[in-house]
Amino acid sequence: MKSNLSSVALLALAGLANAFTYERLDKDNALLLILDMQEGLFSLARDFDHTTYRNAIYAHAALGKTFDLPVVMTSSSETGPNGPLPDEFLEMYPNAPLIKRQGEVNAWDNPEFREAVIAANKSQIIIGGITTDVCTAFLALSLREAGYSVWANHEASGTTNTNIRDMANERMRAAGVQVVSYFAILCELMRDWRNTPGAKELFPVLDQYLPAYGMVARAHRAAIQNGTVLPGEDILP
């Protein structure tokens, strides 16, 4: 009898240990952070091809326009070698808070930045920045400590090599940060291609920032408009 009770208790504990609640990104409860994606710091992002990484940070920045998310931007010592944020980001969000930190490495240590995040009144934070192991990780950990749910855009954070990137991502995951792709973020915010924004709004965005998927849509359009079934294709299952 004791053995049976022990087995039941172990099974119950195992069930508790494996309990999981899937928290989805909600466009009505999400805040986008553009963190230290500065022109001078860009050269430190060596874990991705520079053309790929440039596309990734622009894609990250555009999430706010695509889903009408509140945006907070911040830079670190931009009058020095770090340089400013790209002009295109400032033009996307002329009215968004832009906190120009003069010394704080961790953006959360800056009272003005912290107040801007709190004022947005959102519990889910989407983050990307340079560098992954310092600017992104430090802020992500602080946000988790403050009670926020955090999604780190893996493709939009860059650092000096892949080993350092992997260690930083492991550190964030251990704190409950969801380290995910740009496409995962976009799809969780959208949820259903029939929504607004949905297929109509997002195919042009994907064509610009995720061209592999944009080409899928182009190929489908061409097949519908001009396609001809070739001999042999008609007998495929």
Side-chain angles (χ1 to χ4, degrees):
M1 184 68 176
K2 286 184 178 179
S3 177
N4 288 338
L5 288 173
S6 297
S7 298
V8 170
L10 286 171
L11 287 170
L13 288 172
L16 288 173
N18 293 325
F20 173 74
T21 300
Y22 174 24
E23 182 183 2
R24 301 185 186 190
L25 271 171
D26 179 353
K27 63 183 176 62
D28 296 320
N29 191 32
L31 167 68
L32 180 72
L33 298 184
I34 297 173
L35 172 68
D36 299 353
M37 294 178 176
Q38 294 163 246
E39 294 172 350
L41 292 175
F42 182 84
S43 63
L44 295 178
R46 300 175 185 178
D47 50 332
F48 293 104
D49 169 81
H50 277 160
T51 302
T52 301
Y53 185 63
R54 183 186 186 277
N55 183 72
I57 63 174
Y58 279 70
H60 177 86
L63 285 167
K65 298 290 285 186
T66 303
F67 291 99
D68 195 25
L69 305 176
V71 174
V72 174
M73 299 184 285
T74 184
S75 63
S76 174
S77 302
E78 67 171 50
T79 56
N82 292 354
L85 295 172
D87 285 344
E88 295 93 328
F89 295 1
L90 307 182
E91 291 166 3
M92 281 185 199
Y93 307 111
N95 300 316
L98 169 57
I99 292 81
K100 299 181 179 183
R101 308 188 323 277
Q102 298 304 310
E104 300 93 344
V105 176
N106 185 343
W108 197 245
D109 291 338
N110 180 284
E112 187 181 356
F113 176 83
R114 199 163 57 244
E115 288 167 9
V117 171
I118 293 169
N121 197 31
K122 307 296 182 183
S123 69
Q124 299 179 333
I125 312 292
I126 304 168
I127 185 174
I130 308 171
T131 62
T132 312
D133 49 317
V134 176
C135 304
T136 300
F138 289 4
L139 177 56
L141 296 174
S142 293
L143 288 168
R144 288 292 297 135
E145 184 179 37
Y148 291 95
S149 299
V150 181
W151 279 256
N153 184 347
H154 167 70
E155 296 163 78
S157 288
T159 190
T160 50
N161 62 59
T162 56
N163 183 49
I164 290 173
R165 176 187 71 197
D166 292 346
M167 288 191 295
N169 286 337
E170 287 174 11
R171 186 184 186 193
M172 287 191 283
R173 287 191 182 102
V177 176
Q178 299 196 47
V179 182
V180 294
S181 69
Y182 162 76
F183 193 44
I185 291 170
L186 182 142
C187 287
E188 278 204 341
L189 289 169
M190 176 183 66
R191 301 210 181 179
D192 190 318
W193 290 101
R194 297 164 297 182
N195 283 345
T196 302
K200 181 179 179 180
E201 295 79 15
L202 293 182
F203 273 125
V205 173
L206 291 167
D207 190 56
Q208 182 175 4
Y209 296 118
L210 191 61
Y213 206 95
M215 289 299 176
V216 170
R218 289 178 183 228
H220 179 242
R221 179 188 63 190
I224 296 298
Q225 293 177 347
N226 305 305
T228 300
V229 176
L230 298 176
E233 289 182 334
D234 56 339
I235 61 173
L236 294 176

